Amino acid sequence: MKNRSLISITDFSKEEQIRILDIAEGFEQQPTQNILGNYVVATLFFEPSTRTRLSFESAASRLGAKVIGFSSAASSSVSKGESLNDTILTVSNYSDIIVMRHPVDGSARYASEVSPVPVINAGDGANQHPTQTLLDMYSIRKTQGTLDNLNIAFVGDLKYGRTVHSLTMALTQYNTTFHLVSPTELKLPSYVKRHIKDNNLSYYQYTDLLAVIPHVDIIYMTRIQKERFSDSLEYERVKNAYNLSNSMLAGSRSNMAIMHPLPRVNEIAADVDSNPKAYYFQQALNGVFVRQALLAAILGVK
Amino acid sequence: MENNEQRKELKVSAIENGTVIDHIPANSLFKVIKILSLENLEEQVLFGTNLESKKYGRKGIVKVSNKFFESDEVNKIALVAPHASLIEIRDYKVVHKSVVEIPNHIQKIVRCFNPNCITNHEQITTSFDVIKDEETLKLRCHYCEKTTLRENAVFL
Ligand SMILES: [Zn+2]
């Protein structure tokens, strides 16, 4: 993976994805390792995403790398009308690897083609966010001991959520059974379902969350955004339909883990946080280990 | 058969050397001219449209003097003229005949339909994988990864 860019999860083979998860385990054991002391990591956030940026910067810092960059387009030369091409070429003079988030779809792929140094996509518009997918896979493997043969429920906005689409695509490599819980108007798009079918796997669609809880190993909750609805009454109706509370977990499997890409609004009640099955904060922390693994593998020190 | 074909071509006078592109759907003729950038060519270009065709009802035809296309160059027109045939003429005679093939990859000629695609924001050559999928053709943008049906493709 040395010197390779990571733009879409499919840029890395199944074996390479697994290798990243294995390296990440080493960083979970020992998070602080001074192995990137001679490297400069640039974090270019053309749109703000404090959570993702801090996770990358924490990962780089724990490995001893220097971090340069900006946290919004307003604080960069982009606000003066500089093209992405010019920004990337300039920054690549100052750094060994570029972590980039950008509001425009495909911007990361383009950056990786003009940049002489590797690029990690930290989200390009509505398109891809592969480090989220890898940290989700890491979290599933961590809680279940395996990625194979699991029953996984995705809950909420399955139509627009790129997190769900990418993770679904990745999980089709592991004989997953998919349980898709959403309002009718936010069902998983047919091209993603098609991908499940093409891999001879099964999916089941539900509108009721309660019914699937006893049958799954992972409940992956997502946020339902108000702006997705043309009818605000409809939004009010569905937002409460997927509010997971602790009492609903009574019949769940002992190995079950609750995940969420965060930030949450009201889809997981605060009383779930103290349940040992609540995994979403650990999941966010796992993002640091996975990003450490990516930096180390791409810079060629692991 | 060949003589017959030659006679039909005479409707748009014959050329001595060059290429005839036949069996273009009548409503795609100008797209073909545009895709092949024939308007920038110094050579003689003859074309006709709404000609009778047994196979397609009405067809278009283009004749380009002293120009012989590379196959990947001409395959680009397969998006708008999937059954076009390519006839190489030397000394007024048909020396080679072939049918266009839909390429696996196309560059430049189509705009990405996604307004939030980087190719619509910066000066970037568009690039698509062609997906041949149960009778329909789809173009998958190399950058934003969104898929457009051929019918909705906008030519640059
Ligand atoms: Zn595009």
Side-chain angles (χ1 to χ4, degrees), chain B residues 22-78:
Chain B
D22 198 359
H23 301 120
I24 301 167
N27 58 6
S28 293
L29 178 81
F30 291 97
K31 280 181 193 158
V32 167
I33 290 169
K34 201 174 169 200
I35 290 169
L36 295 175
S37 306
L38 297 182
E39 69 266 39
N40 301 323
L41 213 63
E42 301 279 305
E43 300 293 344
Q44 226 177 51
V45 179
L46 305 167
F47 62 85
T49 190
N50 293 326
L51 305 173
E52 277 171 43
S53 159
K54 274 191 193 126
K55 262 195 214 161
Y56 304 107
R58 285 163 162 226
K59 67 169 186 179
I61 191 166
V62 180
K63 302 186 177 196
V64 190
S65 289
N66 303 316
K67 170 108 181 129
F68 302 96
F69 294 94
E70 297 293 328
S71 64
D72 58 335
E73 192 181 3
V74 86
N75 280 343
K76 295 191 288 190
I77 71 165

Side-chain angles (χ1 to χ4, degrees), chain A residues 105, chain B residues 112-114 117-120 128 141-146:
Chain A
D105 304 344
Chain B
C112 182
F113 85 108
N114 173 8
C117 176
I118 189 73
T119 59
N120 291 319
F128 298 87
C141 176
H142 168 68
Y143 292 99
C144 75
E145 308 185 18
K146 299 278 178 299

Side-chain angles (χ1 to χ4, degrees), chain A residues 6-26:
Chain A
L6 174 61
I7 307 304
S8 297
I9 187 69
T10 48
D11 292 347
F12 284 8
S13 67
K14 181 180 178 184
E15 291 68 33
E16 288 168 332
Q17 293 167 19
I18 297 281
R19 202 167 102 69
I20 292 296
L21 305 190
D22 292 344
I23 298 170
E25 287 211 336

